Amino acid sequence: MREVEQLEVEYGDRDYVSVFVGVCPSRERFEAYMEKDYERLHVDDIGFEMGVDFGINTYDEDMAVFCFRQRPSAQIAELFEESIFDLDELKRRYPQGLDRVYHAVCQLGGLRFEGPVEAYDSAEFGYFKFLGAFKAEWAR
């Protein structure tokens, strides 16, 4: 895990879910990308690889949903069979579907990401894109 000090930003907002999609080399690499390193968090470093790339200090595991699809798709309904946010809003933002096929889905509940990084391409973990922050199911 890369050692990067936590940023002085706060994206916590219980009413929102930040949504990311990706193309990752394997399920194992995807899991490693999202896995928290509690030792890093205890020394005030960013606690997971995706957080380092996007500038997110941490996330609440109890409010997060991750999915790795065997078959990639650009269709929102196929990628988000299980969603914890307003899926209709995502469909309105992307009425023709997504810009390319993806198979990794990250839904970080309790987080309203507004960071400057919209997409990140890593040789080790693949390409990930931020789709937006949406109203959580529990907040509607």
Side-chain angles (χ1 to χ4, degrees):
M1 167 113 210
R2 296 171 284 171
E3 296 179 17
V4 176
E5 285 186 21
Q6 287 190 7
L7 305 172
E8 292 193 29
V9 295
E10 178 57 47
Y11 296 122
D13 187 330
R14 180 159 174 70
D15 292 342
Y16 282 84
V17 177
S18 294
V19 179
F20 300 81
V21 290
V23 178
C24 199
S26 69
R27 179 181 304 275
E28 293 75 24
R29 289 283 76 207
F30 178 53
E31 289 171 359
Y33 196 51
M34 300 310 302
E35 183 179 4
K36 280 189 172 181
D37 182 334
Y38 291 98
E39 289 181 25
R40 296 268 47 94
L41 286 169
H42 288 306
V43 294
D44 291 331
D45 282 349
I46 294 178
F48 65 117
E49 294 289 350
M50 182 185 179
V52 171
D53 294 341
F54 282 89
I56 301 169
N57 292 327
T58 191
Y59 64 89
D60 184 338
E61 291 172 282
D62 293 333
M63 297 178 75
V65 174
F66 306 115
C67 183
F68 187 87
R69 305 256 180 242
Q70 288 302 104
R71 211 179 75 204
S73 178
Q75 298 304 309
I76 291 169
E78 288 180 27
L79 286 170
F80 294 93
E81 288 177 4
E82 179 185 350
S83 68
I84 59 172
F85 65 96
D86 183 356
L87 195 57
D88 290 334
E89 178 60 28
L90 178 62
K91 290 176 181 177
R92 279 192 289 279
R93 284 192 196 178
Y94 297 93
Q96 304 302 315
L98 300 178
D99 60 334
R100 62 190 271 190
V101 297
Y102 297 95
H103 58 235
V105 175
C106 307
Q107 300 174 63
L108 304 178
L111 192 75
R112 189 173 188 179
F113 180 68
E114 300 170 348
V117 179
E118 293 182 16
Y120 195 87
D121 199 355
S122 159
E124 183 177 2
F125 297 107
Y127 174 78
F128 283 82
K129 179 178 180 176
F130 173 59
L131 297 181
F134 302 91
K135 202 71 155 167
E137 283 293 324
W138 55 82
R140 296 192 312 153

